[in-house]
């Protein structure tokens, strides 16, 4: 079945990524899979962001996000599951695909956000971009 599950989480979306984590944990327990937890920061890789913040502030953002991701893992990932924590920077959909390939993920489990149809048409959905570009299975968990 699955050996490696990539679980990208948006730490800014309070209260929703944990639902995707529940699904990933259930599948990991059934299959004996590892979970690779990923957070993508749109910081120094985006010129608009890096131009407005000094390097020291960007480094503090990275540290804070890593601690938040560790806290997320402690709170939402079962201790019996081997979990790896990863940070990336850049465009979320591209970094998710890159991480899935790098860690040889068999499955990506990710949340989808409620968005207006107009917003989806203009900027697109990260989940939709991952589904269309991924070479492995993707489970998109919708808000309840």
């Amino acid at each position: 079945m699955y050996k490696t599950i990539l679980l990208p989480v948006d730490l800014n979306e309070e209260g929703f990524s944990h639902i995707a984590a529940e699904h990933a944990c259930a599948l990991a327990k059934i299959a004996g899979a590892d979970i690779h937890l990923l957070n993508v920061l749109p910081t120094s890789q985006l010129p608009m962001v890096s131009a407005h913040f000094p390097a020291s502030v960007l480094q503090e953002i990275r540290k804070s996000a890593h601690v938040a991701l560790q806290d997320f893992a402690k709170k939402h990932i079962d201790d019996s599951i081997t979990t790896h924590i990863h940070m990336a920077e850049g465009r979320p959909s591209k970094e998710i695909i890159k991480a899935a390939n790098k860690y040889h993920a068999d499955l990506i489990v990710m949340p989808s956000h409620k968005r207006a149809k107009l917003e989806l048409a203009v900027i697109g959905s990260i989940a939709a971009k991952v589904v269309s570009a991924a070479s492995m299975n993707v489970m998109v968990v919708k808000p309840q």
Side-chain angles (χ1 to χ4, degrees):
M1 192 171 214
Y2 302 114
K3 293 181 182 179
T4 305
I5 298 171
L6 179 67
L7 175 62
V9 296
D10 183 352
L11 297 171
N12 294 321
E13 289 293 324
E14 194 66 36
F16 184 60
S17 287
H18 75 283
I19 297 170
E22 289 174 13
H23 288 271
C25 286
L27 290 168
K29 284 182 184 180
I30 291 167
D34 292 358
I35 291 179
H36 287 258
L37 194 58
L38 174 69
N39 180 247
V40 181
L41 295 173
T43 54
S44 62
Q45 301 299 317
L46 299 176
M48 185 173 72
V49 175
S50 62
H52 295 351
F53 294 102
S56 61
V57 171
L58 293 174
Q59 189 59 30
E60 192 58 39
I61 291 169
R62 288 180 191 107
K63 286 180 189 177
S64 176
H66 191 265
V67 168
L69 192 57
Q70 289 174 322
D71 291 344
F72 182 92
K74 288 177 188 170
K75 187 174 181 181
H76 299 292
I77 307 296
D78 191 294
D79 291 338
S80 66
I81 300 168
T82 302
T83 306
H84 310 272
I85 295 176
H86 308 284
M87 299 293 299
E89 295 184 37
R91 298 196 186 283
S93 59
K94 288 183 180 183
E95 294 304 318
I96 291 167
I97 297 296
K98 190 187 301 183
N101 290 324
K102 180 177 182 179
Y103 305 119
H104 307 287
D106 305 300
L107 175 67
I108 301 171
V109 177
M110 63 184 300
S112 175
H113 304 287
K114 287 184 177 177
R115 303 236 197 256
K117 287 182 183 181
L118 179 60
E119 184 179 355
L120 283 173
V122 174
I123 64 167
S125 162
I126 293 169
K129 290 176 185 176
V130 170
V131 168
S132 67
S135 61
M136 67 287 300
N137 291 325
V138 179
M139 174 188 277
V140 179
V141 180
K142 296 214 162 237
Q144 301 298 318

